[in-house]
Amino acid sequence: MKQDMILILDLGSEENARLAREIRAMGVYTEIHPHDITASELAALPNVKGIILNGGVNRVVDGVEIDASDAVYDSGFPVIAYDHQGAPALPDSGDVRENLIRSFVFDTCKAEANWNMKNFIEDQVELIRRQVGDKKVLLALSGGVDSSVVAALLLKAIGNQLVSVHVNHGLLRKGEPEEVVRVFREELNANLVYVDAIDRFLDKLKDVADPEEKRKIIGAEFIRVFEEEARKLEGIEFLGQGTIYPDIIESGTKTVKAVKSHHNVGGLPEDLQFELVEPLKMLFKDEVRACGLELGLPASMVYRQPFPGPGLGVRCLGAITRDRLEAVRESDAILREEFAKNGLEGKVWQYFTAIPDVKSVGVRDNKRAFEWCVIIRAVNTIDAMTASIEPIPYELLGHITERITNEVPGVNRVLYDLTPKPTGTIEWE
Ligand code: XMP
């Protein structure tokens, strides 16, 4: 293994991830582990240089103050007790903290700043090869950031022992399935199974208007299609997963209850339970992107804006019809193209169109036109829990409106959603 590691033990802090990121920003790899790590678990971790006991508001569990196990104090590694709440609340306390940690990491532990993507990739390639041997790995490649990066990493490690399956459910954005095929099959030479399941999904969704019902149908059908493909393949023993560190951290720790369950694997039948390969599980999102770039993926894929799993299915509001689905896909493509052209791509966190199940009267070619309308949404957010409206130049909105009403068949009106979250959610369904 290439990189030194500083271990952060969770003694009830709510700032474990932030501390881990702070130290990684100094170029030193970190992992967060539970306070009661055992001697053998500790011994299994490579290149540990020191341990930070990260205390905080959740340190008292069931009335008892938790502490690290004797294994930690007896390990011989430098140990420091740290508590964000206990640090001096001076205006420059950020620097004080940072200096304290920096000096522990570099002076006390003598850690080297050797955490970088090249080393990470080299280490993971070796670990993946060791885990998988000459067996095959199956991966659901959606084209999202995490699945694309994990696919590229697995490809580098095991080449055609990786079988990627891309399910086109008809709810992807314009050009996405084609880009997945182009990048992975043509450029990276991947063994990619492309499944056209458009009719299947749209038939299942016919006349279903309730958003949660739509989500359930899309999720369940996805698993069914993936399972069918898996059964056609021989000799698969592993399942690749684009799990990343926040997924794991949000699954809860011994001191903090789960924010959300880590459900990525869910749904495959018993006889298809594969061993998981999750090489990104220790990376934060920005590190996943850096890893993707280092592996040669295009920036458009690595910096892709968030896109919900049910895709355009929750942006074609109410019961999905093919004409409105095409209208939302085309209008979204125009919006994205104009945002890119006008330098808004990196400035706005999420932007898209939605199409309500509403027609309005308009005029086209001097005739009455009873057509659909399209809603533009563009928001900024840090954590998707709240979101604000990004001011978009009025002229640009006018230009986009003109393009959508001229170029998208069946759309004669464009609306702009000015609602922050709350009270709106980011998506309309
Ligand atoms: P809301 O609409 O809840 O969205 O404000 C917050 C963020 O989550 C995304 N989103 C989803 N992502 N499956 C997903 O994978 C879903 O069903 C889903 N619904 C919303 C949304 O795009 C936004 O980034």
Side-chain angles (χ1 to χ4, degrees):
M1 296 292 279
K2 296 260 182 282
Q3 70 263 348
D4 290 348
M5 189 200 303
I6 296 292
L7 205 60
I8 295 170
L9 294 189
D10 170 24
L11 268 72
S13 174
E14 287 174 330
E15 306 278 347
N16 294 309
R18 208 177 78 186
L19 182 61
R21 293 179 59 81
E22 237 170 69
I23 299 171
R24 287 192 192 185
M26 297 173 194
V28 179
Y29 182 61
T30 51
E31 283 187 10
I32 306 164
H33 286 263
H35 67 279
D36 54 358
I37 190 169
T38 63
S40 58
E41 287 165 341
L42 196 54
L45 294 171
N47 293 5
V48 174
K49 293 291 168 183
I51 301 174
I52 299 175
L53 309 180
N54 199 25
V57 285
N58 299 311
R59 183 148 185 182
V60 176
V61 177
D62 298 332
V64 181
E65 184 174 278
I66 54 168
D67 199 354
S69 56
D70 288 345
V72 170
Y73 294 105
D74 297 343
S75 66
F77 294 122
V79 176
I80 189 176
Y82 187 65
D83 186 334
H84 275 87
Q85 283 71 29
L90 302 168
D92 63 347
S93 59
D95 287 347
V96 172
R97 286 180 206 171
E98 196 189 315
N99 284 335
L100 183 83
I101 290 295
R102 184 177 282 281
S103 136
F104 176 71
V105 170
F106 293 110
D107 304 335
T108 313
C109 302
K110 307 262 184 285
E112 260 187 66
N114 52 11
W115 162 244
N116 61 51
M117 275 309 137
K118 265 204 172 64
N119 288 346
F120 171 80
I121 290 169
E122 260 182 61
D123 281 349
Q124 288 305 321
V125 163
E126 193 186 314
L127 289 171
I128 293 165
R129 286 182 184 154
R130 216 183 289 162
Q131 184 186 1
V132 172
D134 59 1
K135 303 293 192 304
K136 283 189 190 155
V137 180
L138 182 64
L139 175 76
L141 176 56
S142 67
V145 180
D146 304 340
S147 74
S148 298
V149 175
V150 86
L153 184 53
L154 285 165
L155 262 175
K156 188 177 170 76
I158 55 168
N160 272 350
Q161 285 166 255
L162 171 71
V163 184
S164 301
V165 176
H166 179 65
V167 177
N168 183 356
H169 51 25
L171 307 169
L172 297 166
R173 284 173 295 195
K174 189 173 177 176
E176 281 185 329
E178 294 83 359
E179 190 180 34
V180 169
V181 171
R182 183 181 60 75
V183 170
F184 284 95
R185 193 181 276 167
E186 292 165 23
E187 287 181 19
L188 298 176
N189 235 344
N191 185 352
L192 174 72
V193 180
Y194 171 84
V195 188
D196 178 345
I198 300 174
D199 289 342
R200 242 180 108 151
F201 276 84
L202 296 188
D203 287 351
K204 276 258 151 58
L205 287 163
K206 196 164 178 295
D207 299 328
V208 181
D210 178 68
E212 290 315 304
E213 191 61 27
K214 283 160 70 175
R215 277 192 171 78
K216 265 191 220 142
I217 290 173
I218 295 166
E221 196 58 16
F222 183 87
I223 292 183
R224 218 163 288 141
V225 174
F226 188 68
E227 181 200 333
E228 283 173 21
E229 292 305 317
R231 290 197 191 282
K232 288 184 202 159
L233 300 162
E234 303 246 306
I236 305 270
E237 290 192 15
F238 296 88
L239 189 69
Q241 287 269 317
T243 314
I244 70 172
Y245 213 14
D247 298 335
I248 296 201
I249 293 172
E250 285 174 8
S251 299
T253 64
K254 288 187 181 164
T255 61
V256 181
K257 293 229 158 37
V259 182
K260 64 176 184 194
S261 57
H262 173 46
H263 56 72
N264 282 348
V265 211
L268 283 179
E270 282 284 312
D271 64 324
L272 275 183
Q273 293 303 333
F274 306 101
E275 187 182 320
L276 294 183
V277 187
E278 301 176 288
L280 306 180
K281 69 168 188 249
M282 286 300 164
L283 296 190
F284 292 102
K285 194 80 182 190
D286 52 322
E287 294 168 335
V288 173
R289 295 189 213 277
C291 180
L293 288 179
E294 183 71 34
L295 288 162
L297 290 181
S300 59
M301 210 167 227
V302 162
Y303 288 104
R304 198 177 95 137
Q305 57 164 315
F307 185 59
L312 298 180
V314 290
R315 293 179 181 172
C316 186
L317 310 180
I320 297 169
T321 54
R322 290 189 188 237
D323 60 339
R324 286 192 306 121
L325 183 58
E326 284 323 304
V328 78
R329 195 182 340 258
E330 288 300 322
S331 56
D332 176 76
I334 291 173
L335 181 77
R336 285 192 289 137
E337 189 186 318
E338 289 298 330
F339 268 43
K341 255 197 226 161
N342 289 279
L344 290 171
E345 226 175 10
K347 289 201 188 126
V348 185
W349 194 76
Q350 202 170 8
Y351 46 95
F352 56 87
T353 60
I355 190 163
D357 196 358
V358 171
K359 278 187 174 176
S360 73
V361 176
V363 207
R364 194 186 288 283
D365 304 327
N366 297 321
K367 280 201 241 57
R368 179 186 185 276
F370 193 48
E371 296 180 353
W372 303 116
C373 58
V374 155
I375 302 157
I376 294 178
R377 188 119 174 93
V379 297
N380 258 333
T381 175
I382 302 215
D383 54 9
M385 304 294 283
T386 61
S388 59
I389 296 307
E390 187 60 19
I392 305 300
Y394 205 72
E395 278 181 13
L396 178 60
L397 287 173
H399 177 61
I400 293 171
T401 300
E402 197 182 313
R403 279 198 62 189
I404 292 177
T405 50
N406 281 330
E407 295 174 33
V408 182
V411 175
N412 65 355
R413 213 179 270 268
V414 175
L415 314 175
Y416 183 44
D417 183 354
L418 284 170
T419 322
K421 176 181 181 178
T423 52
T425 47
I426 295 176
E427 303 289 344
W428 267 61
E429 284 194 335

PDB file of all heavy atoms in Angstrom, residues 215 306-310 314-315 349-350 352 384 421 424-429, ligand 1:
ATOM      1  N   ARG A 215     -42.004   5.701  -8.735  1.00  0.00           N
ATOM      2  CA  ARG A 215     -40.655   5.362  -8.244  1.00  0.00           C
ATOM      3  C   ARG A 215     -40.526   3.869  -7.960  1.00  0.00           C
ATOM      4  O   ARG A 215     -39.544   3.240  -8.309  1.00  0.00           O
ATOM      5  CB  ARG A 215     -40.363   6.127  -6.953  1.00  0.00           C
ATOM      6  CG  ARG A 215     -39.874   7.536  -7.161  1.00  0.00           C
ATOM      7  CD  ARG A 215     -39.338   8.104  -5.846  1.00  0.00           C
ATOM      8  NE  ARG A 215     -38.683   9.372  -6.086  1.00  0.00           N
ATOM      9  CZ  ARG A 215     -39.319  10.528  -6.276  1.00  0.00           C
ATOM     10  NH1 ARG A 215     -40.633  10.570  -6.268  1.00  0.00           N
ATOM     11  NH2 ARG A 215     -38.639  11.641  -6.487  1.00  0.00           N
ATOM     12  N   PRO A 306     -26.340  16.142 -10.536  1.00  0.00           N
ATOM     13  CA  PRO A 306     -27.116  15.040  -9.971  1.00  0.00           C
ATOM     14  C   PRO A 306     -28.364  14.768 -10.809  1.00  0.00           C
ATOM     15  O   PRO A 306     -28.958  15.696 -11.347  1.00  0.00           O
ATOM     16  CB  PRO A 306     -27.522  15.532  -8.578  1.00  0.00           C
ATOM     17  CG  PRO A 306     -26.862  16.831  -8.365  1.00  0.00           C
ATOM     18  CD  PRO A 306     -26.227  17.284  -9.621  1.00  0.00           C
ATOM     19  N   PHE A 307     -28.704  13.507 -10.916  1.00  0.00           N
ATOM     20  CA  PHE A 307     -29.872  13.118 -11.709  1.00  0.00           C
ATOM     21  C   PHE A 307     -30.567  11.998 -10.947  1.00  0.00           C
ATOM     22  O   PHE A 307     -29.924  11.025 -10.562  1.00  0.00           O
ATOM     23  CB  PHE A 307     -29.388  12.635 -13.088  1.00  0.00           C
ATOM     24  CG  PHE A 307     -30.495  12.322 -14.046  1.00  0.00           C
ATOM     25  CD1 PHE A 307     -31.419  13.303 -14.410  1.00  0.00           C
ATOM     26  CD2 PHE A 307     -30.624  11.055 -14.605  1.00  0.00           C
ATOM     27  CE1 PHE A 307     -32.439  13.023 -15.314  1.00  0.00           C
ATOM     28  CE2 PHE A 307     -31.632  10.774 -15.520  1.00  0.00           C
ATOM     29  CZ  PHE A 307     -32.544  11.760 -15.865  1.00  0.00           C
ATOM     30  N   PRO A 308     -31.851  12.127 -10.674  1.00  0.00           N
ATOM     31  CA  PRO A 308     -32.508  11.117  -9.836  1.00  0.00           C
ATOM     32  C   PRO A 308     -32.553   9.748 -10.506  1.00  0.00           C
ATOM     33  O   PRO A 308     -32.656   9.669 -11.737  1.00  0.00           O
ATOM     34  CB  PRO A 308     -33.927  11.676  -9.651  1.00  0.00           C
ATOM     35  CG  PRO A 308     -34.121  12.669 -10.735  1.00  0.00           C
ATOM     36  CD  PRO A 308     -32.762  13.193 -11.106  1.00  0.00           C
ATOM     37  N   GLY A 309     -32.472   8.697  -9.702  1.00  0.00           N
ATOM     38  CA  GLY A 309     -32.542   7.327 -10.226  1.00  0.00           C
ATOM     39  C   GLY A 309     -33.746   7.120 -11.156  1.00  0.00           C
ATOM     40  O   GLY A 309     -33.589   6.559 -12.245  1.00  0.00           O
ATOM     41  N   PRO A 310     -34.943   7.572 -10.758  1.00  0.00           N
ATOM     42  CA  PRO A 310     -36.109   7.374 -11.644  1.00  0.00           C
ATOM     43  C   PRO A 310     -36.095   8.315 -12.850  1.00  0.00           C
ATOM     44  O   PRO A 310     -37.022   8.284 -13.671  1.00  0.00           O
ATOM     45  CB  PRO A 310     -37.314   7.686 -10.746  1.00  0.00           C
ATOM     46  CG  PRO A 310     -36.784   7.891  -9.375  1.00  0.00           C
ATOM     47  CD  PRO A 310     -35.323   8.152  -9.465  1.00  0.00           C
ATOM     48  N   VAL A 314     -39.788  11.136 -13.103  1.00  0.00           N
ATOM     49  CA  VAL A 314     -40.399  12.032 -12.099  1.00  0.00           C
ATOM     50  C   VAL A 314     -40.394  13.489 -12.582  1.00  0.00           C
ATOM     51  O   VAL A 314     -40.723  14.394 -11.821  1.00  0.00           O
ATOM     52  CB  VAL A 314     -39.723  11.910 -10.707  1.00  0.00           C
ATOM     53  CG1 VAL A 314     -40.060  10.563 -10.081  1.00  0.00           C
ATOM     54  CG2 VAL A 314     -38.214  12.101 -10.786  1.00  0.00           C
ATOM     55  N   ARG A 315     -40.015  13.684 -13.847  1.00  0.00           N
ATOM     56  CA  ARG A 315     -40.075  15.042 -14.416  1.00  0.00           C
ATOM     57  C   ARG A 315     -41.157  15.132 -15.497  1.00  0.00           C
ATOM     58  O   ARG A 315     -41.466  16.218 -15.968  1.00  0.00           O
ATOM     59  CB  ARG A 315     -38.712  15.441 -14.980  1.00  0.00           C
ATOM     60  CG  ARG A 315     -37.706  15.574 -13.861  1.00  0.00           C
ATOM     61  CD  ARG A 315     -36.327  15.941 -14.335  1.00  0.00           C
ATOM     62  NE  ARG A 315     -35.425  16.017 -13.196  1.00  0.00           N
ATOM     63  CZ  ARG A 315     -34.125  16.167 -13.297  1.00  0.00           C
ATOM     64  NH1 ARG A 315     -33.569  16.258 -14.500  1.00  0.00           N
ATOM     65  NH2 ARG A 315     -33.377  16.222 -12.212  1.00  0.00           N
ATOM     66  N   TRP A 349     -26.141  24.234  -9.424  1.00  0.00           N
ATOM     67  CA  TRP A 349     -25.965  22.862  -8.950  1.00  0.00           C
ATOM     68  C   TRP A 349     -26.824  21.873  -9.726  1.00  0.00           C
ATOM     69  O   TRP A 349     -26.389  20.805 -10.110  1.00  0.00           O
ATOM     70  CB  TRP A 349     -26.325  22.841  -7.472  1.00  0.00           C
ATOM     71  CG  TRP A 349     -25.912  21.629  -6.728  1.00  0.00           C
ATOM     72  CD1 TRP A 349     -24.656  21.316  -6.299  1.00  0.00           C
ATOM     73  CD2 TRP A 349     -26.748  20.555  -6.313  1.00  0.00           C
ATOM     74  NE1 TRP A 349     -24.677  20.133  -5.635  1.00  0.00           N
ATOM     75  CE2 TRP A 349     -25.938  19.641  -5.622  1.00  0.00           C
ATOM     76  CE3 TRP A 349     -28.116  20.280  -6.444  1.00  0.00           C
ATOM     77  CZ2 TRP A 349     -26.435  18.471  -5.072  1.00  0.00           C
ATOM     78  CZ3 TRP A 349     -28.618  19.113  -5.903  1.00  0.00           C
ATOM     79  CH2 TRP A 349     -27.785  18.217  -5.224  1.00  0.00           C
ATOM     80  N   GLN A 350     -28.080  22.262  -9.924  1.00  0.00           N
ATOM     81  CA  GLN A 350     -28.980  21.371 -10.652  1.00  0.00           C
ATOM     82  C   GLN A 350     -29.958  22.188 -11.475  1.00  0.00           C
ATOM     83  O   GLN A 350     -30.543  23.141 -10.979  1.00  0.00           O
ATOM     84  CB  GLN A 350     -29.737  20.473  -9.664  1.00  0.00           C
ATOM     85  CG  GLN A 350     -30.268  19.199 -10.288  1.00  0.00           C
ATOM     86  CD  GLN A 350     -30.809  18.210  -9.265  1.00  0.00           C
ATOM     87  OE1 GLN A 350     -30.925  18.523  -8.079  1.00  0.00           O
ATOM     88  NE2 GLN A 350     -31.147  17.025  -9.707  1.00  0.00           N
ATOM     89  N   PHE A 352     -32.938  21.760 -14.789  1.00  0.00           N
ATOM     90  CA  PHE A 352     -33.640  20.798 -15.644  1.00  0.00           C
ATOM     91  C   PHE A 352     -35.008  21.355 -16.004  1.00  0.00           C
ATOM     92  O   PHE A 352     -35.411  22.408 -15.505  1.00  0.00           O
ATOM     93  CB  PHE A 352     -33.780  19.461 -14.909  1.00  0.00           C
ATOM     94  CG  PHE A 352     -34.468  19.550 -13.569  1.00  0.00           C
ATOM     95  CD1 PHE A 352     -35.851  19.476 -13.458  1.00  0.00           C
ATOM     96  CD2 PHE A 352     -33.734  19.731 -12.400  1.00  0.00           C
ATOM     97  CE1 PHE A 352     -36.482  19.562 -12.229  1.00  0.00           C
ATOM     98  CE2 PHE A 352     -34.358  19.827 -11.166  1.00  0.00           C
ATOM     99  CZ  PHE A 352     -35.737  19.736 -11.081  1.00  0.00           C
ATOM    100  N   ALA A 384     -28.674  19.524  -0.688  1.00  0.00           N
ATOM    101  CA  ALA A 384     -29.981  19.128  -1.252  1.00  0.00           C
ATOM    102  C   ALA A 384     -31.116  19.157  -0.211  1.00  0.00           C
ATOM    103  O   ALA A 384     -32.254  18.853  -0.540  1.00  0.00           O
ATOM    104  CB  ALA A 384     -29.922  17.771  -1.954  1.00  0.00           C
ATOM    105  N   LYS A 421     -36.379  25.738  -1.874  1.00  0.00           N
ATOM    106  CA  LYS A 421     -36.711  24.585  -1.024  1.00  0.00           C
ATOM    107  C   LYS A 421     -36.331  24.928   0.395  1.00  0.00           C
ATOM    108  O   LYS A 421     -35.130  25.171   0.619  1.00  0.00           O
ATOM    109  CB  LYS A 421     -35.949  23.357  -1.505  1.00  0.00           C
ATOM    110  CG  LYS A 421     -36.153  22.129  -0.616  1.00  0.00           C
ATOM    111  CD  LYS A 421     -35.375  20.930  -1.112  1.00  0.00           C
ATOM    112  CE  LYS A 421     -35.625  19.720  -0.217  1.00  0.00           C
ATOM    113  NZ  LYS A 421     -34.947  18.523  -0.676  1.00  0.00           N
ATOM    114  N   GLY A 424     -40.840  24.456  -1.946  1.00  0.00           N
ATOM    115  CA  GLY A 424     -40.830  23.428  -2.987  1.00  0.00           C
ATOM    116  C   GLY A 424     -39.751  22.408  -2.671  1.00  0.00           C
ATOM    117  O   GLY A 424     -38.842  22.673  -1.879  1.00  0.00           O
ATOM    118  N   THR A 425     -39.824  21.222  -3.262  1.00  0.00           N
ATOM    119  CA  THR A 425     -38.658  20.359  -3.286  1.00  0.00           C
ATOM    120  C   THR A 425     -37.918  20.686  -4.581  1.00  0.00           C
ATOM    121  O   THR A 425     -38.414  21.465  -5.382  1.00  0.00           O
ATOM    122  CB  THR A 425     -39.048  18.868  -3.262  1.00  0.00           C
ATOM    123  OG1 THR A 425     -40.073  18.654  -4.221  1.00  0.00           O
ATOM    124  CG2 THR A 425     -39.508  18.438  -1.876  1.00  0.00           C
ATOM    125  N   ILE A 426     -36.742  20.107  -4.775  1.00  0.00           N
ATOM    126  CA  ILE A 426     -36.007  20.380  -6.006  1.00  0.00           C
ATOM    127  C   ILE A 426     -36.782  19.800  -7.193  1.00  0.00           C
ATOM    128  O   ILE A 426     -37.073  20.485  -8.162  1.00  0.00           O
ATOM    129  CB  ILE A 426     -34.566  19.839  -5.927  1.00  0.00           C
ATOM    130  CG1 ILE A 426     -33.802  20.617  -4.837  1.00  0.00           C
ATOM    131  CG2 ILE A 426     -33.869  19.968  -7.283  1.00  0.00           C
ATOM    132  CD1 ILE A 426     -32.384  20.138  -4.579  1.00  0.00           C
ATOM    133  N   GLU A 427     -37.131  18.528  -7.085  1.00  0.00           N
ATOM    134  CA  GLU A 427     -37.948  17.903  -8.126  1.00  0.00           C
ATOM    135  C   GLU A 427     -39.414  18.292  -7.906  1.00  0.00           C
ATOM    136  O   GLU A 427     -39.785  18.733  -6.822  1.00  0.00           O
ATOM    137  CB  GLU A 427     -37.812  16.369  -8.069  1.00  0.00           C
ATOM    138  CG  GLU A 427     -36.388  15.848  -8.198  1.00  0.00           C
ATOM    139  CD  GLU A 427     -35.810  16.021  -9.602  1.00  0.00           C
ATOM    140  OE1 GLU A 427     -36.595  16.269 -10.540  1.00  0.00           O
ATOM    141  OE2 GLU A 427     -34.581  15.897  -9.743  1.00  0.00           O
ATOM    142  N   TRP A 428     -40.215  18.073  -8.926  1.00  0.00           N
ATOM    143  CA  TRP A 428     -41.634  18.362  -8.803  1.00  0.00           C
ATOM    144  C   TRP A 428     -42.422  17.167  -8.300  1.00  0.00           C
ATOM    145  O   TRP A 428     -43.566  17.281  -7.901  1.00  0.00           O
ATOM    146  CB  TRP A 428     -42.186  18.826 -10.169  1.00  0.00           C
ATOM    147  CG  TRP A 428     -42.152  20.328 -10.302  1.00  0.00           C
ATOM    148  CD1 TRP A 428     -41.043  21.115 -10.263  1.00  0.00           C
ATOM    149  CD2 TRP A 428     -43.271  21.202 -10.470  1.00  0.00           C
ATOM    150  NE1 TRP A 428     -41.407  22.417 -10.411  1.00  0.00           N
ATOM    151  CE2 TRP A 428     -42.765  22.506 -10.557  1.00  0.00           C
ATOM    152  CE3 TRP A 428     -44.641  20.999 -10.599  1.00  0.00           C
ATOM    153  CZ2 TRP A 428     -43.587  23.614 -10.725  1.00  0.00           C
ATOM    154  CZ3 TRP A 428     -45.461  22.109 -10.788  1.00  0.00           C
ATOM    155  CH2 TRP A 428     -44.935  23.399 -10.841  1.00  0.00           C
ATOM    156  N   GLU A 429     -41.811  15.994  -8.366  1.00  0.00           N
ATOM    157  CA  GLU A 429     -42.515  14.814  -7.848  1.00  0.00           C
ATOM    158  C   GLU A 429     -41.615  14.097  -6.875  1.00  0.00           C
ATOM    159  O   GLU A 429     -40.390  14.136  -7.026  1.00  0.00           O
ATOM    160  CB  GLU A 429     -42.852  13.851  -9.008  1.00  0.00           C
ATOM    161  CG  GLU A 429     -44.012  14.321  -9.844  1.00  0.00           C
ATOM    162  CD  GLU A 429     -44.541  13.201 -10.764  1.00  0.00           C
ATOM    163  OE1 GLU A 429     -43.781  12.290 -11.089  1.00  0.00           O
ATOM    164  OE2 GLU A 429     -45.706  13.297 -11.150  1.00  0.00           O
TER     165      GLU A 429
HETATM  166  P1  XMP B   1     -35.858  16.851  -3.705  1.00  0.00           P
HETATM  167  O1  XMP B   1     -36.821  16.832  -4.856  1.00  0.00           O
HETATM  168  O2  XMP B   1     -36.221  15.873  -2.633  1.00  0.00           O
HETATM  169  O3  XMP B   1     -34.466  16.347  -4.309  1.00  0.00           O
HETATM  170  O4  XMP B   1     -35.630  18.230  -3.161  1.00  0.00           O
HETATM  171  C1  XMP B   1     -33.247  16.386  -3.619  1.00  0.00           C
HETATM  172  C2  XMP B   1     -32.204  15.743  -4.515  1.00  0.00           C
HETATM  173  O5  XMP B   1     -32.482  14.345  -4.662  1.00  0.00           O
HETATM  174  C3  XMP B   1     -32.721  14.026  -6.019  1.00  0.00           C
HETATM  175  N1  XMP B   1     -33.827  13.069  -6.040  1.00  0.00           N
HETATM  176  C4  XMP B   1     -33.677  11.740  -6.210  1.00  0.00           C
HETATM  177  N2  XMP B   1     -32.569  11.007  -6.418  1.00  0.00           N
HETATM  178  N3  XMP B   1     -33.913   9.058  -6.553  1.00  0.00           N
HETATM  179  C5  XMP B   1     -32.701   9.665  -6.610  1.00  0.00           C
HETATM  180  O6  XMP B   1     -31.712   8.960  -6.828  1.00  0.00           O
HETATM  181  C6  XMP B   1     -35.074   9.738  -6.348  1.00  0.00           C
HETATM  182  O7  XMP B   1     -36.159   9.164  -6.321  1.00  0.00           O
HETATM  183  C7  XMP B   1     -34.934  11.159  -6.172  1.00  0.00           C
HETATM  184  N4  XMP B   1     -35.837  12.155  -5.951  1.00  0.00           N
HETATM  185  C8  XMP B   1     -35.130  13.307  -5.868  1.00  0.00           C
HETATM  186  C9  XMP B   1     -33.057  15.331  -6.705  1.00  0.00           C
HETATM  187  O8  XMP B   1     -32.753  15.294  -8.088  1.00  0.00           O
HETATM  188  C10 XMP B   1     -32.198  16.301  -5.937  1.00  0.00           C
HETATM  189  O9  XMP B   1     -30.862  16.280  -6.396  1.00  0.00           O
END
